[in-house]
Amino acid sequence: MTAAVALSILCTAITFHLTYRIINDEGATNAAVVGYLLPVVSVLLGTVVLGEDLGMRVVLGMAVVLWGVGMTRRPAAANVGKPTRGEAVSGELAAGEPGHAGGAAVSGVPAGAAPATVATIPPEEAR
């Protein structure tokens, strides 16, 4: 019983670590794609290791899943030229630049909102 609990906790910890690492390195879309590949790998392992039958419908389903995964891996024509994950949009500060708060509000400006432009009046006109 102790071995089963230790293995389940250890395997869960490793899985969570790998999942969060994929999310951090590749983004959430690519991390979700891993979940789509699990049935394909499971069916292939069942066929190779356990000798299960592999019907035409299953092969067709695996092809559709792999086609869908392939579609997520290539850039869309509409996104060409747009900033990718981690790039700063014009007027925004990139992570690591002075003044970047990592998504937190800076000087009362909510994250994602552009601060209002402050007009300065020369002292001679202020009188």
Side-chain angles (χ1 to χ4, degrees), residues 33-114:
V33 167
V34 172
Y36 294 127
L37 293 175
L38 292 177
V40 174
V41 173
S42 299
V43 167
L44 290 176
L45 284 175
T47 302
V48 172
V49 176
L50 301 175
E52 294 180 356
D53 292 332
L54 187 64
M56 183 53 98
R57 293 172 76 187
V58 174
V59 171
L60 182 61
M62 290 173 28
V64 169
V65 168
L66 292 175
W67 177 73
V69 168
M71 294 291 288
T72 65
R73 298 298 297 171
R74 66 179 187 177
N79 291 333
V80 174
K82 289 186 178 178
T84 59
R85 184 175 175 262
E87 291 181 0
V89 178
S90 177
E92 292 182 3
L93 295 174
E97 288 186 32
H100 183 267
V106 179
S107 340
V109 178

